[in-house]
Amino acid sequence: MEIIAALMDGVWQALQPTNLLLAFIGVVVGLFVGAMPGLGSVNGVAILLPFTFVIQEMTGSATSPMIFLAAIYYGAMYGGAISSITLGIPGASPAVATTFDGRPLALKGQADKALVTAALASFAGATVANVFFTAFAPPLASVALKFGNPEIFALMLMAFATFVGLGGDDIPKTIFSICFGLVLAAVGFDEITGAPRLAFFDIVEFQHGIRFLVLAIGVYGIGEMIWTINSSRYKQTHTEANITFATVTAAIREFPKAWKGTSIGSGLGFFVGILPAAGATPGSLMAYGVTKMVSKNPEKFGQGDVDGVAAPEAANNSASTGAMLPMMTLGIPGSPTTAVLLAGMVIWGLQPGPLLFSNQPDFVWPLIGSFYVSNFIAVIVNLAFIPIFLWMLRMPFTILAPLIFVLSVVGTYAAYQNMFDVWLMLLFGFGFYFLRILDYPVAPAVLAIVLGPIAEPTLRQSLLLSDGDWSIFFTRPIAGPITVVAIILILLPVFKLIRDRLRSRSKEAT
Amino acid sequence: MTKFTSFVAKTAGIAALAVGAFSGAAMADGHGFKPIKPIEFVIMAGKGGGADKMARLMQSIVEKEGLSARPLVPNNKPGGSGAEALVAMKSASDPDHTIMVTLNSFFTTPLRQPGLGVDIMTFAPVGRMAEDTFLLWVHKNEGINSFEEFVAEAKKRGSGWVMGGTGKASEDNIITDYLNDSYGLEIKYIPYKGGGAVAKDLAGEQIDSSVNNPSEALGFYESGDVIPLVAFTDERLPMFPDVPTLKELGGDFSYFMQRSVVGAPGMSDAALAYYTDMFTKVYNSADWQKYKSDKSLMGDFMAGGDLTSYWQTQRDRHETILRASGAIK
C-alpha cells in the first residue's frame, strides 16, 4: 500500500506541466534518434546531457532533467522499430531483431500491422517492466548481485542454444553462422591478457574490435537492399501500403494474437535488462529466439510473423526499464545509455547506489511515475505518426534503394566518425548477401557478435575462478540449472533427428 | 526573468554550437588555439568504473561552466588494459582535438607491451586532476574486522581466497601481488573490465575481497555491505578516520593512481595551453572540489614539466614493481 501511495504521488508529480512537457519533448526526440540509423538513445541522451543542466537550474530539481533523459531513452526504443520495419535498416542496435519479421511484413504490404504491433508490444513490455520495477526494485537488485560470471555465461549459453535448437533452419549452417559471428566478436584487444587479436594487416582500426552496429547496418541495410533488388527484378517494386483509419484500428484489434511474443518479450527482456553488462540488444535477440522456439509454427518466423515483431519490441522496451534498475540501485550501468544517465545523476548531485531509494524518495518516485507517463505518451505519438512512416514505404523501390544506401553510409559514419567502419559495413553487406544466397541464416551471426563479448570474458573469469574446472557451470545453484537447460536445448535437434530416423526405419519395416 | 534569459542564451548557445560542430568550416583564430570541431575525449577504461565516472563528471563540468568552444565527446576504449586507448591516441588523426583521461595503466601497459610502440613521454601533459586512493575491502558477511584477521583468513584459505580487480598487471593486480609477497598469501586474482563490476561482485559475494578506489566502493560501503580494512595511503583518509594505513601496521607500501588528462602525441603547444587552461578551471570548480573530497581523492593540480617529471618517476617505479613481480623481464 505504501508503494501504491508513493507511486500515485510520483505519477502526479510527473503529470505537472513542466515534467509533462519535458517527457513529451523527450519522447519525440527519442523517436527521431531511434528511427535514424546510426543514432540511438545513447547519442540522444549524450547530446542533450548539457541541456539538462539548464533544466535543472530552471526547475531546481534533479527529477525533471532525469525525466527528460529517460523519455528520450524510451522514445528511442519505440523509434528503432520504425526504420527496421519500413526500411529494413535497424534504427538502433536493440531494434535489429525487429527487422527479422518486421521487414518481411512490410514487403507483404502489411507494414501498418507491423508498426502497430511494434508500438503496442513496446507499450506492453514497458508497462510490465514498470510494474516489476515499482514493486520489486530493491529486492531485484539483490537478484542481480547473485549473478556472477558463471551464471552470466550459462545464460549466454542458453541464448545461443535457443538459436541452435530451433527447428526449421539448417543446423550445421546455423552453427557455422554462430561461429563466424564469434570470430568477428573476437577481433580486437583481449580483455584478460591485453594482447591484440586478429588485427589483420596491422590495421589499427581492427584493434578496436568490430562494432556490432557496423555489422547490423551492413547486413540489414546493404545486404537486404541488394537482396530485394535481385529478387524484385522485372517486377512492380513499390510496396502496397494503403493506410486508413480502419486498417490501423483493425491492426490494433488483431494485436492480442501476438500475446505470446509480447509476454515472452516483456518478461525475458526485463530479466536480461536488470543484469549489468547485458542491456536491451541481447534481451531482444534472446526474446526473439525463445518465442520462435515455443511457437507452434516456427517456420513462419522470418517470413513475417507478428509474434516475431512483438517479442523483440516488447523485450527492448522492457529491458531498457530493467537496465535502469542496476543503474539506480547498484550504481552500475547495464547499457551505454544508462552510463550517460548515471553521469548525469552524479552531476545533478545524486548518489546512485543501494541507498538511493531510501535517501532520495522525492527523486525516485516522480521518476518512476514518469516511466508510466512517458510510455503512454510514446505509444500515442507513435501510433499517430504511423501514416507518415507508411508514406515513406509508398516510395518506389528505385527511390528507396538509394535512400537506404545513403542512410546506411551516413548512419555508420555518424555512429563512429570513421571511414574504416563505413568500408567494413559495405563489405559485410556484400559478404552477407552471398551467405544468404547460399542459404546461411545471418541472424545467428548477429546474435554471436552481440553476445560474444559478454560470453567470452565471463567464461574465462569463471574458469580462472575454478582453476580450469568446468564443473563450476553445473555445481552452482543458479548456473547449474541454466546450463543443463541450455545443453538440452542444444541437443534437441539431435534427439529429433534420431526420432525421425527411428520412425522412418519402423515405417520401412512395416 | 534572468533565469529565462539565461535559458534562452544557453539554448541559443547550444544550438549554435551544434550547427558549428557540423559545419566544420570555422577556422581557428590567428592567435592561440580554439577547437574547431568536437573534441574526442577518450576514456582509458570501461563504463561505470572510477575513471569513467570521473571523466564524465569532467565533461559535465566543462559543459556546465561553458569552458570549451566545442563539446567534449566521451569515448570509452577499455580494451587490453588501456592498450586500445593508447594506440588510438598514438595514431590520432587530429592530435589537437584528441585528449584522454588516464590512470596508472598509462605507465604499466606500455611497459608490459613494448610491441605497442607507445612512448608515454610523447603525450601532451594537460593536467593531473587528482591522485586516487586504494583501500582493501571485504564483504561484511566474512566477519573480518581488521587487516590482521584478513591476513589470517586469507592464509588459511590459500588460493581459495579470490581478489577481483580491474585488468591484468594493473593497479589492483600490483597491490594484490604486494600482499601475496609480503604476507605469504596465495590470493587468486581475477581481472575484470571495470571497477564497477568488481564492486558489484564483491557486494554479491562472488569474490572475497577487492582493492577498489573509494569512488567505486562508496555506494556499497554506505549501505553497509562492504567494509574497508586498510588504506594504501601515507596518512589516514579523512573520510575513513578509523581505517589504519598499511604503514601504521608495519608495511612499507603506499600506492596512488593518477587521474590525469593527456593530449595525443603531436599536440601543438597552443592547443596544450588551451586544454591546460580548461582543466585548471575544471579543477578549481566547486563541483570538482566537492567530488574530490566526497570520494577521498588526494593530490593537487599539476601540469607541464611538473607532470612529465611525475610521469618519469611513476614509470620508473612501475618498471621496478613489474620487474620484481615477473610481469616484465
Side-chain angles (χ1 to χ4, degrees), chain A residues 53-54 57-58 145-149 189 191-194 207 276 332 339 343 347 351 354-355 461 464-465 467 476, chain B residues 3 7 10 47 56 60 63 80 83-84 87 91 112-113 168 188 190-193 196 200 204 206 219-220 222-223 295:
Chain A
F53 306 133
V54 184
E57 218 169 89
M58 280 177 66
L145 286 182
K146 294 269 184 305
F147 271 72
N149 291 315
F189 280 106
E191 191 180 304
I192 307 252
T193 63
Q207 298 186 346
I332 296 154
I347 189 140
Q351 162 86 55
L355 297 182
Q461 283 163 337
L464 276 173
L465 202 62
D467 290 316
R476 290 169 59 114
Chain B
K3 267 189 182 173
F7 169 73
K10 281 191 184 173
K47 294 194 174 80
R56 287 173 193 275
S60 304
E63 300 283 0
E84 180 190 356
V87 170
S91 53
R112 286 176 49 232
Q113 296 191 46
K168 204 175 162 75
K188 185 189 288 173
I190 308 267
Y192 282 73
K193 204 168 190 170
K200 178 209 137 225
Q206 307 290 341
F220 295 109
E222 286 173 351
S223 66
K295 308 290 175 181

Short mmCIF file of all heavy atoms in Angstrom, two decimals, chain A residues 53-54 57-58 145-149 189 191-194 207 276 332 339 343 347 351 354-355 461 464-465 467 476, chain B residues 3 7 10 47 56 60 63 80 83-84 87 91 112-113 168 188 190-193 196 200 204 206 219-220 222-223 295:
data_model
loop_
_atom_site.label_atom_id
_atom_site.label_comp_id
_atom_site.label_asym_id
_atom_site.label_seq_id
_atom_site.Cartn_x
_atom_site.Cartn_y
_atom_site.Cartn_z
N PHE A 53 21.40 20.58 -17.60
CA PHE A 53 21.86 21.48 -16.53
C PHE A 53 21.01 22.74 -16.52
O PHE A 53 20.72 23.31 -15.48
CB PHE A 53 23.33 21.82 -16.70
CG PHE A 53 24.19 20.59 -16.81
CD1 PHE A 53 25.16 20.48 -17.79
CD2 PHE A 53 24.01 19.53 -15.94
CE1 PHE A 53 25.92 19.34 -17.90
CE2 PHE A 53 24.76 18.39 -16.03
CZ PHE A 53 25.71 18.29 -17.02
N VAL A 54 20.60 23.16 -17.74
CA VAL A 54 19.73 24.31 -17.85
C VAL A 54 18.38 23.99 -17.21
O VAL A 54 17.82 24.78 -16.45
CB VAL A 54 19.55 24.70 -19.33
CG1 VAL A 54 18.71 25.96 -19.44
CG2 VAL A 54 20.89 24.88 -20.01
N GLU A 57 18.61 24.01 -13.51
CA GLU A 57 18.69 25.37 -12.99
C GLU A 57 17.29 25.99 -12.93
O GLU A 57 16.95 26.70 -12.00
CB GLU A 57 19.59 26.19 -13.91
CG GLU A 57 20.47 27.18 -13.19
CD GLU A 57 21.48 27.73 -14.16
OE1 GLU A 57 21.16 28.75 -14.82
OE2 GLU A 57 22.57 27.14 -14.30
N MET A 58 16.51 25.71 -13.98
CA MET A 58 15.18 26.31 -14.06
C MET A 58 14.21 25.71 -13.06
O MET A 58 13.43 26.41 -12.45
CB MET A 58 14.61 26.14 -15.48
CG MET A 58 15.16 27.15 -16.46
SD MET A 58 14.51 26.81 -18.09
CE MET A 58 12.78 27.15 -17.84
N LEU A 145 22.72 -9.23 -8.04
CA LEU A 145 24.01 -9.49 -7.39
C LEU A 145 24.33 -10.98 -7.35
O LEU A 145 25.50 -11.36 -7.28
CB LEU A 145 24.00 -8.95 -5.96
CG LEU A 145 24.09 -7.43 -5.81
CD1 LEU A 145 24.12 -7.05 -4.35
CD2 LEU A 145 25.34 -6.91 -6.50
N LYS A 146 23.29 -11.82 -7.38
CA LYS A 146 23.52 -13.28 -7.33
C LYS A 146 24.12 -13.78 -8.64
O LYS A 146 24.59 -14.91 -8.72
CB LYS A 146 22.21 -14.02 -7.07
CG LYS A 146 21.61 -13.76 -5.71
CD LYS A 146 22.10 -14.78 -4.71
CE LYS A 146 21.45 -14.62 -3.34
NZ LYS A 146 21.58 -13.27 -2.76
N PHE A 147 24.03 -12.98 -9.68
CA PHE A 147 24.54 -13.40 -10.98
C PHE A 147 26.01 -13.04 -11.12
O PHE A 147 26.36 -11.94 -11.49
CB PHE A 147 23.71 -12.79 -12.11
CG PHE A 147 22.54 -13.64 -12.49
CD1 PHE A 147 21.45 -13.73 -11.64
CD2 PHE A 147 22.54 -14.39 -13.65
CE1 PHE A 147 20.38 -14.55 -11.96
CE2 PHE A 147 21.47 -15.20 -13.98
CZ PHE A 147 20.39 -15.28 -13.13
N GLY A 148 26.86 -13.99 -10.81
CA GLY A 148 28.29 -13.81 -11.01
C GLY A 148 28.67 -14.26 -12.41
O GLY A 148 27.79 -14.51 -13.24
N ASN A 149 29.96 -14.39 -12.66
CA ASN A 149 30.41 -14.75 -14.00
C ASN A 149 29.87 -16.09 -14.50
O ASN A 149 29.41 -16.17 -15.64
CB ASN A 149 31.93 -14.72 -14.06
CG ASN A 149 32.45 -13.30 -13.95
OD1 ASN A 149 31.91 -12.41 -14.59
ND2 ASN A 149 33.44 -13.08 -13.11
N PHE A 189 41.24 -6.15 -28.88
CA PHE A 189 42.08 -6.49 -27.73
C PHE A 189 41.45 -7.58 -26.87
O PHE A 189 40.26 -7.56 -26.61
CB PHE A 189 42.32 -5.27 -26.86
CG PHE A 189 43.39 -4.39 -27.41
CD1 PHE A 189 43.08 -3.20 -28.02
CD2 PHE A 189 44.72 -4.78 -27.33
CE1 PHE A 189 44.07 -2.39 -28.53
CE2 PHE A 189 45.71 -3.97 -27.84
CZ PHE A 189 45.38 -2.78 -28.44
N GLU A 191 40.59 -8.92 -23.56
CA GLU A 191 40.33 -8.17 -22.33
C GLU A 191 41.17 -8.68 -21.15
O GLU A 191 41.54 -7.93 -20.26
CB GLU A 191 38.86 -8.33 -22.00
CG GLU A 191 38.38 -7.43 -20.93
CD GLU A 191 36.90 -7.70 -20.72
OE1 GLU A 191 36.15 -7.60 -21.69
OE2 GLU A 191 36.54 -8.02 -19.60
N ILE A 192 41.45 -9.96 -21.13
CA ILE A 192 42.13 -10.53 -19.97
C ILE A 192 43.65 -10.34 -20.05
O ILE A 192 44.28 -9.91 -19.09
CB ILE A 192 41.77 -12.03 -19.82
CG1 ILE A 192 40.26 -12.18 -19.82
CG2 ILE A 192 42.44 -12.62 -18.61
CD1 ILE A 192 39.61 -12.52 -18.54
N THR A 193 44.26 -10.64 -21.19
CA THR A 193 45.71 -10.52 -21.27
C THR A 193 46.15 -9.18 -21.85
O THR A 193 47.29 -8.79 -21.70
CB THR A 193 46.32 -11.62 -22.15
OG1 THR A 193 45.83 -11.44 -23.48
CG2 THR A 193 45.95 -13.00 -21.66
N GLY A 194 45.25 -8.49 -22.52
CA GLY A 194 45.61 -7.22 -23.11
C GLY A 194 46.29 -7.32 -24.46
O GLY A 194 46.72 -6.32 -25.01
N GLN A 207 41.99 -3.19 -34.11
CA GLN A 207 42.25 -3.35 -32.68
C GLN A 207 41.06 -2.88 -31.85
O GLN A 207 40.89 -3.31 -30.71
CB GLN A 207 43.50 -2.59 -32.28
CG GLN A 207 44.73 -3.12 -32.99
CD GLN A 207 46.01 -2.50 -32.51
OE1 GLN A 207 46.00 -1.49 -31.82
NE2 GLN A 207 47.13 -3.09 -32.88
N PRO A 276 23.60 -6.36 -14.98
CA PRO A 276 24.58 -5.42 -15.51
C PRO A 276 25.37 -6.13 -16.60
O PRO A 276 25.57 -7.33 -16.52
CB PRO A 276 25.46 -5.10 -14.31
CG PRO A 276 24.69 -5.52 -13.12
CD PRO A 276 23.81 -6.64 -13.56
N ILE A 332 25.57 0.81 -11.08
CA ILE A 332 26.29 0.19 -12.18
C ILE A 332 25.42 0.21 -13.42
O ILE A 332 24.31 -0.31 -13.42
CB ILE A 332 26.66 -1.27 -11.84
CG1 ILE A 332 27.61 -1.28 -10.65
CG2 ILE A 332 27.29 -1.98 -13.02
CD1 ILE A 332 27.56 -2.53 -9.87
N ALA A 339 24.87 4.45 -18.77
CA ALA A 339 26.14 5.02 -18.30
C ALA A 339 26.09 6.54 -18.36
O ALA A 339 26.58 7.23 -17.47
CB ALA A 339 27.30 4.49 -19.14
N ALA A 343 26.08 9.32 -15.23
CA ALA A 343 26.93 10.51 -15.16
C ALA A 343 26.09 11.74 -14.86
O ALA A 343 26.47 12.58 -14.04
CB ALA A 343 27.68 10.69 -16.47
N ILE A 347 26.29 14.45 -11.51
CA ILE A 347 26.47 15.91 -11.52
C ILE A 347 25.23 16.65 -11.04
O ILE A 347 25.33 17.76 -10.54
CB ILE A 347 26.95 16.43 -12.89
CG1 ILE A 347 27.33 17.91 -12.77
CG2 ILE A 347 25.91 16.26 -13.96
CD1 ILE A 347 28.52 18.30 -13.52
N GLN A 351 23.57 10.39 -5.49
CA GLN A 351 24.49 9.27 -5.35
C GLN A 351 23.72 7.99 -5.66
O GLN A 351 23.05 7.43 -4.80
CB GLN A 351 25.06 9.25 -3.93
CG GLN A 351 25.69 7.93 -3.52
CD GLN A 351 27.14 7.82 -3.94
OE1 GLN A 351 27.96 8.68 -3.61
NE2 GLN A 351 27.45 6.77 -4.66
N PRO A 354 22.91 1.64 -3.45
CA PRO A 354 21.93 0.91 -2.65
C PRO A 354 21.05 1.82 -1.79
O PRO A 354 19.97 1.42 -1.38
CB PRO A 354 22.79 0.01 -1.76
CG PRO A 354 24.12 -0.06 -2.42
CD PRO A 354 24.29 1.20 -3.20
N LEU A 355 21.52 3.03 -1.51
CA LEU A 355 20.76 3.88 -0.59
C LEU A 355 19.86 4.89 -1.30
O LEU A 355 19.17 5.66 -0.66
CB LEU A 355 21.71 4.62 0.36
CG LEU A 355 22.53 3.73 1.28
CD1 LEU A 355 23.39 4.57 2.19
CD2 LEU A 355 21.62 2.82 2.09
N GLN A 461 36.76 -15.81 -16.91
CA GLN A 461 36.83 -15.46 -15.48
C GLN A 461 36.33 -16.62 -14.62
O GLN A 461 36.89 -16.91 -13.57
CB GLN A 461 36.01 -14.20 -15.21
CG GLN A 461 36.75 -12.94 -15.66
CD GLN A 461 35.85 -11.73 -15.78
OE1 GLN A 461 34.65 -11.85 -15.94
NE2 GLN A 461 36.42 -10.55 -15.70
N LEU A 464 39.02 -19.22 -14.50
CA LEU A 464 40.10 -18.78 -13.60
C LEU A 464 39.71 -19.07 -12.16
O LEU A 464 40.51 -19.53 -11.35
CB LEU A 464 40.36 -17.28 -13.76
CG LEU A 464 41.26 -16.82 -14.90
CD1 LEU A 464 41.25 -15.31 -14.99
CD2 LEU A 464 42.68 -17.31 -14.65
N LEU A 465 38.45 -18.78 -11.87
CA LEU A 465 37.93 -18.96 -10.51
C LEU A 465 38.00 -20.43 -10.09
O LEU A 465 38.30 -20.75 -8.96
CB LEU A 465 36.47 -18.49 -10.52
CG LEU A 465 35.80 -18.09 -9.22
CD1 LEU A 465 36.53 -16.91 -8.62
CD2 LEU A 465 34.35 -17.70 -9.49
N ASP A 467 39.99 -22.81 -11.37
CA ASP A 467 41.23 -23.44 -11.81
C ASP A 467 41.01 -24.36 -13.01
O ASP A 467 41.55 -25.46 -13.08
CB ASP A 467 41.87 -24.25 -10.67
CG ASP A 467 42.41 -23.34 -9.59
OD1 ASP A 467 43.05 -22.33 -9.94
OD2 ASP A 467 42.15 -23.62 -8.40
N ARG A 476 27.03 -24.76 -9.27
CA ARG A 476 26.50 -23.59 -8.57
C ARG A 476 24.97 -23.58 -8.67
O ARG A 476 24.41 -23.93 -9.71
CB ARG A 476 27.11 -22.32 -9.13
CG ARG A 476 28.58 -22.22 -8.74
CD ARG A 476 29.30 -21.13 -9.48
NE ARG A 476 28.75 -19.80 -9.28
CZ ARG A 476 29.39 -18.82 -8.66
NH1 ARG A 476 30.57 -19.04 -8.13
NH2 ARG A 476 28.86 -17.64 -8.57
N LYS B 3 16.50 34.06 -15.14
CA LYS B 3 16.61 32.63 -15.43
C LYS B 3 16.18 32.35 -16.85
O LYS B 3 16.79 31.59 -17.57
CB LYS B 3 15.73 31.83 -14.46
CG LYS B 3 16.51 31.37 -13.26
CD LYS B 3 15.72 30.41 -12.43
CE LYS B 3 16.52 30.01 -11.21
NZ LYS B 3 15.75 29.22 -10.29
N PHE B 7 18.38 31.02 -19.87
CA PHE B 7 17.94 29.80 -20.53
C PHE B 7 17.98 29.97 -22.05
O PHE B 7 18.53 29.16 -22.78
CB PHE B 7 16.53 29.45 -20.07
CG PHE B 7 15.87 28.38 -20.87
CD1 PHE B 7 16.28 27.06 -20.74
CD2 PHE B 7 14.87 28.67 -21.77
CE1 PHE B 7 15.69 26.06 -21.48
CE2 PHE B 7 14.28 27.68 -22.52
CZ PHE B 7 14.69 26.38 -22.37
N LYS B 10 21.52 30.21 -23.26
CA LYS B 10 22.21 28.91 -23.27
C LYS B 10 21.68 28.03 -24.39
O LYS B 10 22.44 27.32 -25.05
CB LYS B 10 22.05 28.21 -21.93
CG LYS B 10 22.99 28.77 -20.89
CD LYS B 10 23.01 27.91 -19.66
CE LYS B 10 23.90 28.57 -18.59
NZ LYS B 10 23.83 27.89 -17.34
N LYS B 47 32.94 1.37 -18.93
CA LYS B 47 31.86 2.17 -18.36
C LYS B 47 31.58 1.79 -16.92
O LYS B 47 31.64 0.63 -16.56
CB LYS B 47 30.60 1.96 -19.19
CG LYS B 47 30.75 2.51 -20.59
CD LYS B 47 29.42 2.63 -21.29
CE LYS B 47 29.58 3.31 -22.62
NZ LYS B 47 30.08 2.40 -23.66
N ARG B 56 33.30 11.51 -17.07
CA ARG B 56 32.00 12.07 -17.43
C ARG B 56 31.66 13.26 -16.54
O ARG B 56 30.98 14.19 -16.97
CB ARG B 56 30.93 10.98 -17.38
CG ARG B 56 31.09 10.04 -18.55
CD ARG B 56 30.20 8.86 -18.52
NE ARG B 56 30.62 7.88 -19.51
CZ ARG B 56 30.25 7.91 -20.79
NH1 ARG B 56 29.46 8.86 -21.23
NH2 ARG B 56 30.68 7.00 -21.64
N SER B 60 30.89 16.96 -17.89
CA SER B 60 29.72 17.71 -17.45
C SER B 60 30.09 19.09 -16.94
O SER B 60 29.41 20.06 -17.21
CB SER B 60 29.00 16.94 -16.35
OG SER B 60 28.67 15.66 -16.77
N GLU B 63 30.85 21.37 -19.78
CA GLU B 63 29.61 21.82 -20.42
C GLU B 63 28.89 22.85 -19.55
O GLU B 63 28.44 23.89 -20.01
CB GLU B 63 28.66 20.64 -20.65
CG GLU B 63 29.20 19.55 -21.54
CD GLU B 63 29.15 19.92 -23.02
OE1 GLU B 63 28.70 21.03 -23.34
OE2 GLU B 63 29.58 19.09 -23.85
N GLY B 80 42.20 -4.22 -23.60
CA GLY B 80 43.60 -4.52 -23.32
C GLY B 80 44.22 -3.65 -22.25
O GLY B 80 45.32 -3.14 -22.43
N ALA B 83 45.38 -0.53 -23.62
CA ALA B 83 46.18 -0.57 -24.85
C ALA B 83 45.41 0.01 -26.03
O ALA B 83 45.95 0.77 -26.83
CB ALA B 83 46.60 -2.02 -25.15
N GLU B 84 44.13 -0.32 -26.08
CA GLU B 84 43.29 0.20 -27.16
C GLU B 84 43.31 1.74 -27.17
O GLU B 84 43.47 2.36 -28.22
CB GLU B 84 41.86 -0.31 -26.95
CG GLU B 84 40.88 0.15 -28.00
CD GLU B 84 39.42 -0.16 -27.64
OE1 GLU B 84 39.19 -0.81 -26.61
OE2 GLU B 84 38.54 0.26 -28.39
N VAL B 87 46.87 3.14 -28.19
CA VAL B 87 47.13 3.03 -29.63
C VAL B 87 46.29 4.05 -30.40
O VAL B 87 46.76 4.69 -31.34
CB VAL B 87 46.85 1.59 -30.11
CG1 VAL B 87 46.88 1.52 -31.62
CG2 VAL B 87 47.87 0.64 -29.53
N SER B 91 47.81 7.06 -32.76
CA SER B 91 47.51 7.18 -34.18
C SER B 91 46.38 8.18 -34.43
O SER B 91 45.73 8.14 -35.46
CB SER B 91 47.15 5.82 -34.75
OG SER B 91 46.12 5.24 -33.97
N ARG B 112 54.45 -3.30 -20.25
CA ARG B 112 54.18 -4.72 -20.47
C ARG B 112 54.12 -5.07 -21.93
O ARG B 112 54.37 -6.19 -22.32
CB ARG B 112 52.85 -5.10 -19.80
CG ARG B 112 52.93 -5.17 -18.29
CD ARG B 112 51.57 -5.45 -17.72
NE ARG B 112 50.95 -6.56 -18.41
CZ ARG B 112 49.73 -6.52 -18.94
NH1 ARG B 112 49.01 -5.44 -18.87
NH2 ARG B 112 49.24 -7.58 -19.55
N GLN B 113 53.71 -4.11 -22.75
CA GLN B 113 53.54 -4.41 -24.18
C GLN B 113 54.39 -3.45 -25.02
O GLN B 113 53.85 -2.55 -25.66
CB GLN B 113 52.08 -4.28 -24.58
CG GLN B 113 51.19 -5.27 -23.89
CD GLN B 113 49.80 -5.27 -24.52
OE1 GLN B 113 49.67 -5.30 -25.73
NE2 GLN B 113 48.79 -5.24 -23.69
N LYS B 168 44.63 -6.90 -15.93
CA LYS B 168 45.77 -7.72 -15.55
C LYS B 168 47.00 -6.83 -15.46
O LYS B 168 47.15 -5.90 -16.23
CB LYS B 168 45.98 -8.79 -16.63
CG LYS B 168 46.72 -10.02 -16.16
CD LYS B 168 46.75 -11.04 -17.29
CE LYS B 168 47.81 -12.08 -17.07
NZ LYS B 168 47.43 -13.05 -16.05
N LYS B 188 44.08 -15.53 -5.15
CA LYS B 188 43.87 -15.67 -6.59
C LYS B 188 43.27 -14.38 -7.13
O LYS B 188 42.27 -13.88 -6.60
CB LYS B 188 42.93 -16.84 -6.86
CG LYS B 188 42.76 -17.14 -8.34
CD LYS B 188 41.66 -18.14 -8.56
CE LYS B 188 42.07 -19.52 -8.10
NZ LYS B 188 40.92 -20.44 -8.18
N ILE B 190 41.43 -12.25 -10.05
CA ILE B 190 40.60 -12.36 -11.26
C ILE B 190 40.43 -10.98 -11.89
O ILE B 190 39.90 -10.07 -11.24
CB ILE B 190 39.19 -12.90 -10.92
CG1 ILE B 190 39.28 -14.19 -10.11
CG2 ILE B 190 38.35 -13.08 -12.20
CD1 ILE B 190 39.26 -15.45 -10.88
N PRO B 191 40.90 -10.82 -13.14
CA PRO B 191 40.78 -9.50 -13.76
C PRO B 191 39.38 -9.24 -14.32
O PRO B 191 38.77 -10.11 -14.92
CB PRO B 191 41.80 -9.55 -14.90
CG PRO B 191 42.01 -10.99 -15.19
CD PRO B 191 41.64 -11.78 -13.96
N TYR B 192 38.88 -8.03 -14.11
CA TYR B 192 37.59 -7.58 -14.63
C TYR B 192 37.82 -6.42 -15.59
O TYR B 192 38.90 -5.83 -15.63
CB TYR B 192 36.68 -7.09 -13.50
CG TYR B 192 36.02 -8.19 -12.71
CD1 TYR B 192 36.75 -8.96 -11.82
CD2 TYR B 192 34.67 -8.45 -12.85
CE1 TYR B 192 36.15 -9.96 -11.09
CE2 TYR B 192 34.06 -9.45 -12.12
CZ TYR B 192 34.79 -10.20 -11.24
OH TYR B 192 34.20 -11.19 -10.52
N LYS B 193 36.75 -6.08 -16.29
CA LYS B 193 36.85 -4.98 -17.25
C LYS B 193 36.81 -3.62 -16.57
O LYS B 193 37.39 -2.66 -17.04
CB LYS B 193 35.70 -5.09 -18.25
CG LYS B 193 35.96 -4.43 -19.57
CD LYS B 193 34.88 -4.87 -20.55
CE LYS B 193 35.20 -4.44 -21.97
NZ LYS B 193 34.28 -5.08 -22.92
N GLY B 196 33.49 -0.95 -11.53
CA GLY B 196 32.08 -1.07 -11.17
C GLY B 196 31.67 -2.53 -11.04
O GLY B 196 30.97 -2.92 -10.10
N LYS B 200 30.36 -4.60 -7.68
CA LYS B 200 29.10 -5.35 -7.71
C LYS B 200 29.34 -6.81 -7.28
O LYS B 200 28.58 -7.36 -6.50
CB LYS B 200 28.52 -5.31 -9.11
CG LYS B 200 27.24 -6.09 -9.26
CD LYS B 200 27.08 -6.62 -10.68
CE LYS B 200 26.59 -8.04 -10.65
NZ LYS B 200 27.22 -8.96 -11.52
N GLY B 204 27.92 -8.87 -4.10
CA GLY B 204 27.17 -10.10 -4.30
C GLY B 204 27.91 -11.33 -3.83
O GLY B 204 27.48 -12.44 -4.09
N GLN B 206 30.51 -12.71 -4.91
CA GLN B 206 31.07 -13.56 -5.96
C GLN B 206 32.58 -13.65 -5.79
O GLN B 206 33.23 -14.57 -6.27
CB GLN B 206 30.74 -13.01 -7.34
CG GLN B 206 29.27 -12.74 -7.59
CD GLN B 206 28.47 -14.02 -7.70
OE1 GLN B 206 29.03 -15.08 -7.94
NE2 GLN B 206 27.16 -13.93 -7.51
N GLY B 219 29.13 3.35 -2.65
CA GLY B 219 27.71 3.01 -2.56
C GLY B 219 27.47 1.83 -1.64
O GLY B 219 26.60 1.87 -0.77
N PHE B 220 28.28 0.77 -1.82
CA PHE B 220 28.09 -0.44 -1.02
C PHE B 220 28.69 -0.29 0.38
O PHE B 220 28.34 -1.01 1.30
CB PHE B 220 28.69 -1.64 -1.73
CG PHE B 220 27.99 -1.97 -3.02
CD1 PHE B 220 28.59 -1.73 -4.23
CD2 PHE B 220 26.69 -2.47 -2.99
CE1 PHE B 220 27.93 -2.02 -5.42
CE2 PHE B 220 26.02 -2.76 -4.17
CZ PHE B 220 26.65 -2.53 -5.39
N GLU B 222 28.40 2.61 2.09
CA GLU B 222 27.38 3.35 2.81
C GLU B 222 26.18 2.47 3.16
O GLU B 222 25.54 2.66 4.18
CB GLU B 222 26.93 4.57 1.99
CG GLU B 222 27.98 5.67 2.02
CD GLU B 222 27.66 6.83 1.10
OE1 GLU B 222 26.71 6.71 0.31
OE2 GLU B 222 28.39 7.84 1.17
N SER B 223 25.90 1.50 2.30
CA SER B 223 24.78 0.60 2.60
C SER B 223 25.20 -0.49 3.59
O SER B 223 24.37 -1.29 4.01
CB SER B 223 24.27 -0.05 1.32
OG SER B 223 25.25 -0.90 0.77
N LYS B 295 34.87 11.78 -2.56
CA LYS B 295 35.34 10.46 -2.98
C LYS B 295 36.75 10.17 -2.47
O LYS B 295 37.44 9.30 -3.01
CB LYS B 295 35.32 10.34 -4.51
CG LYS B 295 34.01 10.70 -5.14
CD LYS B 295 32.92 9.69 -4.85
CE LYS B 295 31.60 10.19 -5.42
NZ LYS B 295 30.49 9.29 -5.18
#
